[in-house]
Amino acid sequence: MRVVTVEEHWNTEGIDRAVRAHALDASVVFNDRGDIPERLFDLDESRIAAMDTAGVDVQIISLSPPGTYGLPPAEAVTLCREANDRATEAVERHPDRFRAMTTLPMSDPVAAVAELERTATSCAHVGIMSYGRCGDRPLDDPAYDDLLAAAAAHALPLFIHPQIPPDEVRAASYTGLSEIVDLGLATFGWGWHMEAGTAALRLILSGAFDRHPDLQIVLGHWGEMLLFWLDRADSLSNVADLNHRVAEYFRTNVHIATSGMLTPRLLRHALDFTTADRILLSGDYPFHRLGPTSVADFLDAVPDPEDRRKIAHANADALYGLTTSSAQPTR
């Protein structure tokens, strides 16, 4: 069965240097382990070989965190444009294997809209890699409303990726154990996912989906904990001035990606709160490595053949504008 995965990371040397020079995100040390650096910067043979080993036909590539978030505006604009052009070139070299998520200079909201409009003309770019905040400005800030409108108008879903908590939050909640445990707790063990889930919940509560009903977002790691707390989060519907209950937006505007966590029990739990039409495969390459049978074993645990087809590729085809027979775009 054809397999499409989303949230497959890469990086540019320029963005990597800038993030380290500005000390934007302590979690970049995780990018230095083993052969991750060479895999992150490669968009050709070794990546395709890993895809072939895992049985992945198409990757939708996206910059690794934190992207350009938090960089000075002028620097972010230049680096985003370079990265998006390089992603376009990679798709053009391998049109049957790659599509790309656009990276945007969110420290300049006007420039971010301009870059979205520029890349939206390219069939290579089928979505947006975003984060819950840029500096002190959350994604639901009114400054980004034109961006949300443009994403909805161009049918470009926003993937809200985890990011490290602000320094003040880290100091209050994620310190005092040991240096490496503190960092792990603030990132992959807990903090990353709280940040992303909170960003999505804030976006709902801000009325973003009432203003832009066609806007679609994707949450990795099986919903960044929010999906599993949805019964409680839905009680916010009683105080928020929204057109629908909070949980309803998960059936109309939110998609859930696996982020390399190909665990059948997580799928069973997710299906208590959403439908198979909203589940996307993602391998989180190269931070997770899918083995030769990882995808097949996971899909074999999906009892309904039609649900299996949806999760393997049909949901991604529909959301990102791919045909069902190849990676060729429909728009």
Side-chain angles (χ1 to χ4, degrees), residues 196-226:
T198 300
L201 187 56
R202 285 182 60 101
L203 205 59
I204 293 171
L205 296 171
S206 75
F209 299 110
D210 294 343
R211 297 190 302 277
H212 313 294
D214 293 330
L215 179 65
Q216 300 293 312
I217 64 171
V218 181
L219 289 174
H221 305 97
W222 293 102
E224 305 297 0
M225 300 195 284
L226 184 55

Side-chain angles (χ1 to χ4, degrees), residues 7-323:
E7 191 204 0
E8 311 308 321
H9 294 300
W10 72 290
N11 207 356
T12 73
E13 294 82 357
I15 290 175
D16 184 61
R17 285 193 299 269
V19 167
R20 294 172 192 265
H22 289 279
L24 289 183
D25 190 331
S27 70
V28 295
V29 299
F30 300 138
N31 297 1
D32 299 331
R33 295 171 299 159
D35 62 355
I36 285 177
E38 62 190 75
R39 290 179 179 271
L40 265 180
F41 296 122
D42 175 71
L43 290 175
D44 291 293
E45 284 74 17
S46 68
R47 180 176 294 257
I48 290 173
M51 292 167 63
D52 290 343
T53 297
V56 173
D57 296 283
V58 181
Q59 277 191 355
I60 300 180
I61 59 173
S62 60
L63 275 178
S64 62
T68 63
Y69 278 56
L71 290 176
E75 190 172 4
V77 168
T78 298
L79 289 170
C80 283
R81 189 179 187 96
E82 176 197 359
N84 291 329
D85 287 348
R86 286 179 60 177
T88 298
E89 292 165 2
V91 174
E92 290 172 347
R93 288 195 305 273
H94 308 288
D96 57 338
R97 306 308 298 269
F98 296 145
R99 287 294 178 272
M101 293 189 201
T102 299
T103 187
L104 298 174
M106 297 292 276
S107 47
D108 184 338
V110 174
V113 174
E115 181 64 4
L116 185 155
E117 294 288 353
R118 185 182 77 90
T119 57
T121 64
S122 166
C123 291
H125 290 263
V126 296
I128 299 165
M129 174 53 68
S130 67
Y131 296 85
R133 57 182 164 73
C134 182
D136 295 330
R137 182 184 286 146
L139 186 58
D140 56 274
D141 189 281
Y144 293 132
D145 203 57
D146 287 346
L147 175 67
L148 301 180
H154 289 290
L156 294 170
L158 273 74
F159 196 114
I160 302 181
H161 194 277
Q163 65 188 139
I164 199 164
D167 290 343
E168 297 85 353
V169 177
R170 288 183 65 195
S173 301
Y174 299 104
T175 57
L177 299 170
S178 71
E179 183 177 358
I180 188 60
V181 172
D182 289 351
L183 183 58
L185 183 62
T187 55
F188 62 83
W190 193 258
W192 270 348
H193 313 294
M194 288 291 289
E195 289 291 308
T198 300
L201 187 56
R202 285 182 60 101
L203 205 59
I204 293 171
L205 296 171
S206 75
F209 299 110
D210 294 343
R211 297 190 302 277
H212 313 294
D214 293 330
L215 179 65
Q216 300 293 312
I217 64 171
V218 181
L219 289 174
H221 305 97
W222 293 102
E224 305 297 0
M225 300 195 284
L226 184 55
L227 193 65
F228 301 100
W229 196 245
L230 193 54
D231 283 344
R232 187 69 166 176
D234 190 54
S235 64
L236 289 164
S237 309
N238 302 327
V239 296
D241 184 17
L242 299 171
N243 292 347
H244 308 284
R245 294 192 65 82
V246 167
E248 180 64 24
Y249 297 97
F250 280 79
R251 292 186 283 271
T252 57
N253 300 91
V254 181
H255 305 258
I256 305 300
T258 60
S259 300
M261 302 167 67
L262 302 186
T263 307
R265 70 175 180 273
L266 294 177
L267 173 63
R268 292 193 296 271
H269 197 155
L271 291 176
D272 284 340
F273 298 94
T274 189
T275 67
D277 306 78
R278 295 265 150 187
I279 307 294
L280 301 165
L281 276 180
S282 64
D284 204 10
Y285 181 89
F287 304 109
H288 282 271
R289 305 287 175 81
L290 298 176
T293 66
S294 299
V295 173
D297 289 347
F298 174 73
L299 291 174
D300 284 346
V302 180
D304 184 88
E306 179 60 14
D307 288 348
R308 199 176 307 138
R309 184 187 71 87
K310 290 176 181 177
I311 294 170
H313 66 86
N315 292 341
D317 291 336
L319 182 63
Y320 290 103
L322 307 177
T323 67

